[in-house]
Amino acid sequence: MKTWILYIGICLLFVPSLLFSQNYIRTPYDVVNEESWLPGIEDFAEGAPAVILVDYGLMTFLPANNSVIVRYNYVKRVQILSEKGLALAKVRIPYNSKERRLISITATTYSKNPQGLIIPFRVRKRDFEEIGPKIGDRVLSFSLPLAKVGSIIEYSLTFESKDLDKLD
């Protein structure tokens, strides 16, 4: 009897991880807030044009008609430290539309006003540009609005593919 209770207890410990393993799990990187601006980062990264704060990817496997769709979510967040770092506000993402499909993308610049309030500036849908043929090698291109030294820029995108090896 004690053995069964032990087995059940162990199973109950692993059930939450199994239930949430294929779902989006919130991270501390979800929201840009006051803590996102790291104090003293300019001194720590002296001479660096920018600091990557988040470079995060999550792969999810979704069942679909006797196959599996692979969904890849990617988030990148960067704090601009110098004029040279502003080059990172112009983003180009190459991909092959034959191998993977772009599902969604968002991009935002976060700056502080003189009172210290965080002001977000989102890239509008019409400002995302896809360059290249409808099928084949393409480039997703966009600029993050009103980026300046001290700003945090962030973009997140989601691709889907039926081939696991095509999501590099």
Side-chain angles (χ1 to χ4, degrees):
M1 181 68 163
K2 288 181 182 180
T3 314
W4 280 103
I5 292 173
L6 179 63
Y7 286 136
I8 291 171
I10 290 172
C11 289
L12 289 175
L13 285 173
F14 290 108
V15 167
S17 65
L18 293 173
L19 290 175
F20 294 107
S21 63
Q22 296 295 314
N23 294 325
Y24 177 72
I25 298 172
R26 297 187 68 81
T27 68
Y29 316 116
D30 285 337
V31 179
V32 172
N33 56 30
E34 190 62 41
E35 290 85 39
S36 299
W37 275 266
L38 301 174
I41 193 69
E42 294 84 0
D43 298 331
F44 177 75
E46 187 176 341
V51 173
I52 297 174
L53 303 174
V54 175
D55 193 357
Y56 177 80
L58 177 67
M59 196 177 288
T60 308
F61 301 91
L62 307 166
N65 298 340
N66 298 328
S67 67
V68 174
I69 293 176
V70 182
R71 181 175 289 165
Y72 183 72
N73 300 307
Y74 179 72
V75 177
K76 188 164 194 171
R77 183 179 295 168
V78 177
Q79 185 171 350
I80 308 292
L81 299 180
S82 71
E83 292 291 325
K84 209 174 184 182
L86 290 172
L88 296 172
K90 293 178 177 45
V91 180
R92 294 176 52 84
I93 302 168
Y95 73 100
N96 189 305
S97 62
K98 200 178 201 177
E99 298 168 351
R100 54 187 177 172
R101 187 168 65 106
L102 180 65
I103 301 299
S104 67
I105 183 159
T106 61
T108 308
T109 300
Y110 298 93
S111 294
K112 289 184 179 181
N113 69 9
Q115 293 77 31
L117 293 173
I118 300 169
I119 310 295
F121 302 99
R122 292 186 70 111
V123 175
R124 296 175 300 211
K125 193 167 186 103
R126 68 175 181 244
D127 294 332
F128 291 104
E129 181 181 9
E130 289 191 78
I131 304 162
K134 216 44 163 165
I135 297 176
D137 292 331
R138 300 184 61 115
V139 174
L140 177 64
S141 177
F142 58 94
S143 293
L144 287 128
L146 302 171
K148 60 185 180 183
V149 174
S151 294
I152 291 178
I153 58 174
E154 177 181 77
Y155 61 89
S156 80
L157 51 98
T158 301
F159 282 108
E160 275 187 358
S161 175
K162 291 186 179 178
D163 298 317
L164 177 61
D165 61 336
K166 303 297 184 195
L167 285 173
D168 52 358

